[in-house]
Amino acid sequence: MTAADAENGRGPAADGKAKRHSSVFQRNSPPPSAPKSLRCVMPQILSCTSAGFFSFSEGLSLSYSSSLIPQLQEKDSDIPITLEQGVLLASSMVVSMSIGTLLTGIIMNQFGRLNTIRYCTLPFALGWFLVATATTYEQILVGRVVTGLANPLGINSAVVFTTEVAASHIRGALNAAHPTMASAGIVAMYVLGAVTDWRTAAWVCGASPVVLLVLLFLFCHESPIWLVSRGRHDEALRSLRAYARCNDTEDGREKLPERQLEWLIQKRLFAESQAQNKMPWYHAILDLFRTPVGYKPLIMLTAVFVAQSFSGVYITLFYAAPFFQEMGVKVDAFQAAIYIGLTRFTVGLVAVGLVRGVGIRKLMVGSSFGMAVCMVLSGYFTLYPEKGLDGWVAVGLVLVYVAFSCCGLLTVPWTMTAELFPDQLRDVGQSFSVFIADMLMFAGLQLYPTLKNVLQHGEITGAVGLQWFFATVALLNVVFVIFFLPETHGKTLQEIEEHYQYNTMWLGRHKMPKMPGDALGPAVPTLTAKLGPENSICYTLTAPATAADSRKSSGDSSVQVSIVDTYRL
C-alpha cells in the first residue's frame, strides 16, 4: 500500500500557533517502507486491475452510438430517427456523464470507493435494459442518459481507489491501464456492432458488469485510507493484511500492516489536532478553490484538458469517417472506426509500460510534440494530395498521430485527476477535474464544424486549417508541460502535495522550507499507546509545542491533545 498525503492542518489563529502543513508531519514521520518486488505487489495489481475493469464497460457505452445510430436511420428500422435525434443520442451521453461526475465525490466519500463501483452497476444495467427493450426513441434516450450517469461513478471511483491502494512505483502504470481497458471496450463494441443488431448489443453491454462484480469479490479490499478516515480500523487492518499477504516474511505479512495502520491513524489524529472544530461537508469544496493544494492542481489539469480536447484527440475519434473523407480519402465509416480503435488499444498497451519506465513528463512532451509533427505533415499532404498517394499518406500520419496521443496526452491526464489532490480534497478535486474535462470534450466536439469553417482561407481548406490548428495547440502544450507539469511517477502522494504547497512551476521548484519551531526543525507529534478494555489499544497524540506555545508557558515542552482513538487487533 502506498501512504497518501495527510489532510491540511489548520491551527487556531486566535492563540497564535504556527500553522503546520500535513507534509511537515509526513516528512518527519515517514510511512513504513514496504517491499517492491512484483510478487509482493501482485495483490495490489490484481485489485486495481479488477476495479478498473469498469473502464471496459465504459468503452462499450462510449462507442455504442456508432452502431446504434446508423441502424436506427435505416429505412426498415422499427424506431426511425432523424439526423438531429441521432446527434442528441450521441451528445446526451457526454452531458449525463458530466452530471454524474459531480455526484461521484459525495457518494464516494460516503459509501467508499468499492461500494460506489458496486452500486453504480445497478443504474448502468437499468439503462441498458431500457435501451434493449425500447419501443420509442424517448426510451432509448432515457436509457442512454441513465447509463451515462452511472459511468463516472465507476470510472472515477476506480481511479481514486488505485491511487490510494497502489504503491508509488506502479500507481501510474495501473491508472494508465484504465484508458487502455476503455479502448478494448471500444474495439469490442465495434466488432459487436458489426455482427449483431443494436438490441442484442445492448443486452450484452448490460450484462458486462457481472464480470466486474465477480472480480471485485475475488480480489478487491476497500481502501485502507478511506476506512481509517471513517474510523473503521478493524476493516482497515484486514485490508492492509490482504494487500501484504504475498510479502516474503512473516513480519511483512503480519507486523507491517499493523505499523501501516498505526501510521495512518497517527496521520489522521494529527490532522484533527490542527483543526479547532469539525468542518462541515462543503468545506472541502471551498478548500478546493482557496488552498494551494486545491486550486493549483485544478488549474494545471484544466490547462492540460484544454490541450487534450482542442488538439483533436476526440475529434479524430468521434468523427473518424468524416474527418478522413474531408482529407480527400474515401473510407468506410466502420473501417475508419476500426483503424482508430485498434490503434488506440495497441498503443495503449505500450503506454502502460512506458509510464512506469519513462515517467509522465517525458511521455507528455514526446506525445504532444509527435502529435504536432504528424498534424503539420498531414495538413501538408492534405493540401497537396498528389504528393501523398492521393491522401493515403495523410491518413497514415493521422494514425501515427493517434498513436502518439495514446502514449501521453489522451491517457496520462486521466491518471493524474486523483493523485494530484491531497486526501481531504481527493474526492471533490477528482470530481471537479473530470467534470471540467467532460465539458471541454463536449465543447470540442460541438465546435468541430465551426472550427472547420473558420480556419479555411484561400486554398487552405477547413480540413488543412483544422490539422494545423491541432498542431499549434499540441506545441503549446509541450511548452506548458515543460514548465508546469509535475513528475508523479515514483513520487509519494505526500511529495506531490508538498510540491503544490510551496511551488507552482516544476522548473525552478524548491523544496519545503523549515517551519517555525525548535532549532532542530519542524515539530512533529508523537503517538503513545496503552492497553484498553476488551483488548483494545488506545492511542494518544501528543503535539510538541510551537515557539508561540513555549513563550506562553516556558515550563512546558509539549501540548497534550485530548484525542484518543481505539481499534482492536
Side-chain angles (χ1 to χ4, degrees), residues 27 498-499 502-503 508-514:
R27 171 167 291 197
E498 182 182 301
H499 166 73
Y502 299 102
N503 299 276
R509 65 194 181 280
H510 54 81
K511 295 184 178 180
M512 183 185 69
K514 286 192 175 183

Side-chain angles (χ1 to χ4, degrees), residues 420-477:
L420 292 186
F421 296 99
D423 285 2
Q424 80 281 9
L425 299 181
R426 184 166 299 122
D427 296 339
V428 65
Q430 204 261 356
S431 296
F432 266 91
S433 58
V434 174
F435 170 77
I436 292 172
D438 288 341
M439 288 291 93
L440 288 170
M441 182 199 308
F442 178 75
L445 293 175
Q446 293 298 309
L447 289 174
Y448 168 65
T450 303
L451 288 173
K452 185 178 62 176
N453 294 331
V454 170
L455 294 173
Q456 59 182 349
H457 179 73
E459 64 176 2
I460 299 178
T461 63
V464 175
L466 199 60
Q467 291 173 76
W468 288 349
F469 173 77
F470 294 160
T472 302
V473 174
L475 284 177
L476 290 175
N477 189 59

Side-chain angles (χ1 to χ4, degrees), residues 17-20 24 502 513-519 521-523 545-548 551:
K17 288 183 180 179
K19 181 178 178 179
R20 296 190 190 96
V24 176
Y502 299 102
K514 286 192 175 183
M515 302 294 289
D518 55 37
T546 63
R551 287 193 295 269

